[in-house]
Amino acid sequence: MARHFTSESVTEGHPDKVCDRISDAILDAIMKDDPLGRVAVESLTTTGLVMIAGEITTEAYVDIPQLARQVVNDIGYTKSEYGFDGNTCAVLTSIHGQSADIALGVDEALEVKEGKAEDSLEITGAGDQGIMFGYACGETPELMPLPITLAHRMAQRLTEVRKSGELAYLRPDGKTQVTVEYDGVKPVRVSGALVSAQHDPEVAQSRIYSDIVERVIRPVIPEELLDGEARYLVNPTGRFVIGGPNGDTGLTGRKIIVDTYGGYAKHGGGAFSGKDPTKVDRSAAYAARHAAKNIVAAGLAERCEIELSYAIGVAEPMSVLVDSFGTGVLPDETLAVLLNDHFDLRPAAIIAALDLRRPIYREIAAYGHFGRPELDLPWERTDKAEILKKAARNL
C-alpha cells in the first residue's frame, strides 16, 4: 500500500536561518583564532533588529555587531524596503563567560576526578546532558532520506537563481516542501512539491509560478520520479512580499528538523547552531550520523538509526543503541558492539576524529548538516565502511 512522506527545508534568508547563520558565523570567527574557545550563542531577529545573547569564553576578539551585519548583507538583506537590512538594523549584544559550573565538568571529566581516566581523551567531559540521534539509509547516494534531500536541493536552487540574477525579482526568504510516495520503504515518485518564495511586489503570480516550476522544481527533482499527476504549489496564498525578519521573528535553533532528517528519523533535544563542539548536542549528533552512515555504506544494514546519551561532565556515553529496523545482516546488539569497537564516542575523541575545532559551521547553518557532498564534511565520509565489513566477516 502506498504511503506518502513529506519534508521541508528553508533558505538562508528564512528568519530562523538568518539567526542560525549569525550564531555559527560568531562560532567560526572564534574557532579561527581560538580553537579551544567555548561558545554558546543565540540570535533573535525581527524588524530592524538583531539581538545576540549567550556565553563565550575565549582569547579571541570578534566584532560581533559588524559580523552580524556582514552575515545579513551576504544573505541578501541589503535594502531598507525589505524591512530589514544589514546596513541599518540595530544590533544588540548580551554576552558573558561560560558558567564556571559547566566548565568544571568540561575541563575535567568525572573519569579524571575518580582516577579512572585511561588516556588523555578522558579529560574532556560532555558539555551537557542529552540524547542525540544519527541516521542513514540507502535512498540517495548521500545515504539520506529522499524527501529532505530534495527539499534542501530545491531551497539551495531557490537561493541560487536569486543570487545569480536568473530570477532577480526574488527576495531572500523562502521555504520548500517535497512529498514522496513510497511503496513499502521504497520511494517510487514525487507526488507533490511546494515552494514559497519571497518576491518583489510588482511581479505577477503567474510568472512566479512558471519560473519556479521550470527553474527550481524540475531541475532538482529527478525526471523518473515525476509524472503528470504530481502537484505543484507555488506561493499558495498568492503573494509573499513581506518576509524575512520583517514578516516573522527569527530564533536560533528553531529549525532542528530541517537541520537533520526532515522528520524521517528521530532528533534529540538540542539544536546545533552557535555551539562549540564540547556541546554534545552538536558533536555527538555528527558522530552518530558518521557511525550510522558507515554501517549502511558497509552493507551491514539498509537503514540504521543510532541513539547516544550523555551526562554533563562525563566522557563516556551513558548509552549506545543501534536500530536497523530489521534490515541488519547482524543483530542490532552485534552492530552496537562493532560500533563501540570502531568509533570512540567520548567528546574529545569525537572532536579529534572529526576535526571539529575549526571554522566550518557557517556554511552548514542552512540546507542541512548532513548529506552535503559539496562540503566534504568529516562526518559524511564513509572512511570506516571497509573496516566494519572486515570486522563483521571476522565475527
Side-chain angles (χ1 to χ4, degrees), residues 10 45 129 156 186:
V10 298
T45 59
Q129 72 172 55
Q156 287 175 300
K186 180 183 178 182

Side-chain angles (χ1 to χ4, degrees), residues 360-380:
I360 57 174
Y361 301 105
R362 178 173 172 174
E363 284 302 306
I364 55 174
Y367 315 116
H369 293 240
F370 308 128
R372 301 289 300 277
E374 75 277 13
L375 299 179
D376 188 30
L377 299 169
W379 54 89
E380 289 298 305

Side-chain angles (χ1 to χ4, degrees), residues 87-158:
N87 300 311
T88 64
C89 66
V91 181
L92 306 179
T93 63
S94 180
I95 304 292
H96 57 87
Q98 183 186 61
S99 161
D101 292 346
I102 294 175
L104 281 174
V106 177
D107 294 340
E108 187 175 69
L110 183 64
E111 287 88 342
V112 176
K113 295 169 184 172
E114 293 181 342
K116 298 176 181 178
E118 297 179 0
D119 55 46
S120 62
L121 295 178
E122 296 278 19
I123 293 174
T124 302
D128 204 350
Q129 72 172 55
I131 58 172
M132 301 85 210
F133 288 92
Y135 181 79
C137 63
E139 292 184 16
T140 67
E142 301 84 9
L143 303 185
M144 284 286 286
L146 183 61
I148 187 64
T149 297
L150 293 178
H152 280 324
R153 288 178 183 169
M154 280 171 44
Q156 287 175 300
R157 177 67 181 162
L158 190 61

Side-chain angles (χ1 to χ4, degrees), residues 344-360:
D344 191 334
L345 298 171
R346 297 172 294 175
I350 293 170
I351 290 167
L354 300 181
D355 196 12
L356 297 181
R357 293 194 187 275
R358 57 195 178 100
I360 57 174

Side-chain angles (χ1 to χ4, degrees), residues 35-105:
L36 297 179
R38 300 281 171 78
V39 182
V41 292
E42 318 285 341
S43 303
L44 175 149
T45 59
T46 188
T47 305
L49 173 68
V50 176
M51 182 171 184
I52 301 159
E55 301 79 49
I56 298 176
T57 300
T58 182
E59 298 297 320
Y61 171 75
V62 177
D63 186 339
I64 290 177
Q66 181 59 34
L67 181 56
R69 293 181 187 281
Q70 177 203 320
V71 171
V72 171
N73 282 327
D74 286 349
I75 288 170
Y77 288 110
T78 57
K79 300 178 181 179
S80 59
E81 65 191 82
Y82 295 169
F84 179 78
D85 74 276
N87 300 311
T88 64
C89 66
V91 181
L92 306 179
T93 63
S94 180
I95 304 292
H96 57 87
Q98 183 186 61
S99 161
D101 292 346
I102 294 175
L104 281 174

Side-chain angles (χ1 to χ4, degrees), residues 170-233:
L170 292 178
R171 293 180 176 182
D173 199 356
K175 301 178 77 171
T176 63
Q177 192 167 285
V178 176
T179 301
V180 174
E181 181 180 316
Y182 286 79
D183 182 3
V185 296
K186 180 183 178 182
V188 293
R189 62 185 286 267
V190 169
S191 58
L194 164 63
V195 177
S196 294
Q198 188 188 17
H199 59 87
D200 291 343
E202 69 276 3
V203 185
Q205 168 67 9
S206 58
R207 179 185 174 189
I208 297 171
Y209 180 91
S210 61
D211 281 347
I212 295 297
V213 169
E214 295 304 321
R215 303 190 192 196
V216 175
I217 296 175
R218 289 189 178 277
V220 166
I221 299 177
E223 191 174 339
E224 64 270 18
L225 294 177
L226 290 174
D227 57 31
E229 297 182 6
R231 187 184 186 195
Y232 303 141
L233 290 174

